[in-house]
Each structure stands twice: as C-alpha cells, then as structure tokens.
Amino acid sequence: SVFKEGLSKTRSAIVEKVEELITRRKKIDEEFYEELEEILIGADVGVTTVMKLIDELRAEVKARKIEQAAELQPILSEKLVGLLKGGGDPGLNMSADGITVYLFVGVNGVGKTTTIGKLAHKFKSEGKNVLLAAGDTFRAGAIEQLEVWGQRVGVDVIKQQSGSDPAAVMFDAVQAAKQRQVDVLLCDTAGRLQNKTNLMEELNKIFRVIQRELPDAPHEVLLVLDATTGQNALSQAKLFGEKSGVTGLVLTKLDGTAKGGIVIAIRNELNLPVKLVGLGEKMGDLQEFDSEQFVHALFA
Ligand code: GDP
C-alpha cells in the first residue's frame, strides 16, 4: 500500500529493530524494556509517550503472565493503535450542502503548497469543483508556486499582487467560489515565523473575512508540519495550535524520515487529530490518516 511504501524508513527504524530485539533477548526483562524504550525514543515517539506505552505494556505482560518476548509484538501494535486512536480518526470535515473551505497554516518549507496541490488533485479526481486561494502574499514566489500546482492539477488560483492584504485575497476567493459553484476552496496562508504576533493577527483577520461570507466556514484549519523535523514539529504544533483555531494536522515528508514515530507522539501529546499525511512529492502521495492502517503498515 501507499502507506507501507511511504513509511518504509520508519518501519526499518522501529519494527526491524524491535524484531531483532525480540529474537536476541527472547525473555521479557528489565534490559528488554530498556532497549525497547531506546528504539522507540530513537524513532521520535517522544519520551512522554514512550513511558506511557512501556507502562501499559508492563501492565499487560503482568496481567497475561507473558514471559516470551515473541508474544509482545501483537500487544505492542495493539497499544500503538490505542494511543493513535485517542479521539478516533475523524476524517476531513466537509460542508453538508455548500462550499467547503480549508485554511492551511504552518511555517515556510513544511509542505503547505504541495499539500494543497495534492489535496486539490484528490478532490478533483472525485469529481469536485476545486478553487485555490493564494493567501501567502508575503513570501517571494509563493503565489507562482501555487499557480504551478494549479496548472498541474487543472484548477484555478485566485490571487492578487505580492504584498497585498491576504484577507482581501480570501474575500475575492470566496466571492469567486460562490459565483463558480465551487465545492472546495483551499486557501494558502503566509508562513513566516518572524513577527509571530502579526501572523496570528493576519490569520484571525482571514478567518473573520471567510466567516462573514460563509458562516459555517472554514471547515478545517489545517496545521502543516514537517515530520522530518521530529520534536520541532511538536513544538510548532503547540505554538500554533493554541492561537490559531487549528482543527487538524497534516504531517508531511513521512517518506523521508525514519522518525515517523512523531505521529504517535503528536497524537498522544496534543489534543489535535492528524487528518492527512504526506508520503512523497508526487500528486498522489497524500493519504487521509487512518491509525489502524498506519500501525498495520509498520508491523504487518
Ligand atoms: P511550503 O513553504 O510550506 O509551501 O512548502 P512546499 O510545499 O514548497 O514544500 C517544501 C518542499 O517539501 C518541496 O520541495 C516539496 O516537494 C517537499 N515536500 C512536501 N511534501 C512532501 C512529502 O510528503 N514528501 C516529500 N518527500 N517531500 C515533500
């Protein structure tokens, strides 16, 4: 599956090492737990989450009177699914009868534009009428980059000049979406980190403009995070998540990292669902997140 291919590096980092550990140590003892901890922390599952996981494993091992390490693998994957499923896999929220609007936020370089392009492709291939809004008027080249994706996928991009007010771009985009009977409007935003307060104010203004025109929008505010940055992604999520009304996370570049355990850490340490994962640079390399499939891709 796409998941399995995209997660091959993480799979090697976690599963192959766990298997090696099981074969080598055979019995579950303190050293076994210590080595297991190291493997999981090394794959960026995060210390807090690993401690919780190991505690749960210990309890289960005791309750079931398990001694052989070989019996642990199914329990480990069961526990991982449990951690990931915390609030369930809610999927993407869509408007029941009107235009669905998604705002994409996150710092430069995490993969916002690419994700918008991939998602536009996904919706278009489902027969939906898609429109993009070039709300990053700040970074040089951001508008053009979104236009390249628009052309590649075959969807229009609403834009203004570089440096213009992003809220004005969003206003135009919503008007255009109404006129053109668009099903899904995907909005890019600026991702500069300097001047954080301004960025948050800008996002709030965008939010208000959209809401004034479409009272039930935006239907998602998706924070895009680069999985290869590991624990850094977690800090960004904490920073953004508090202030900008984020409803879900997109984790990109999972194909490029052995530290895919970050998905588990994020799921366990934040009260935000992972909604999409990026598993490559191509148009089709985006998946809606499914915790069972994720763990299955790692262990099966
Ligand atoms: P933005 O600044 O947040 O809009 O980031 P971009 O969309 O420009 O992406 C930055 C780089 O990351 C580009 O080279 C993308 O091709 C790459 N990228 C984005 N998503 C993924 C992914 O899921 N996997 C891989 N391998 N690369 C990705």
Side-chain angles (χ1 to χ4, degrees), residues 45-61:
V45 177
V47 178
T48 321
T49 311
V50 171
M51 293 308 165
K52 188 170 164 187
L53 193 62
I54 300 278
D55 282 348
E56 286 184 14
L57 275 180
R58 278 180 197 273
E60 193 84 17
V61 162

Side-chain angles (χ1 to χ4, degrees), residues 26-41:
K26 295 187 180 66
K27 289 251 183 281
I28 304 174
D29 51 19
E30 274 315 303
E31 284 81 17
F32 178 88
Y33 282 124
E34 263 167 43
E35 283 196 45
L36 184 59
E37 239 174 72
E38 271 169 38
I39 293 171
L40 294 170
I41 291 172

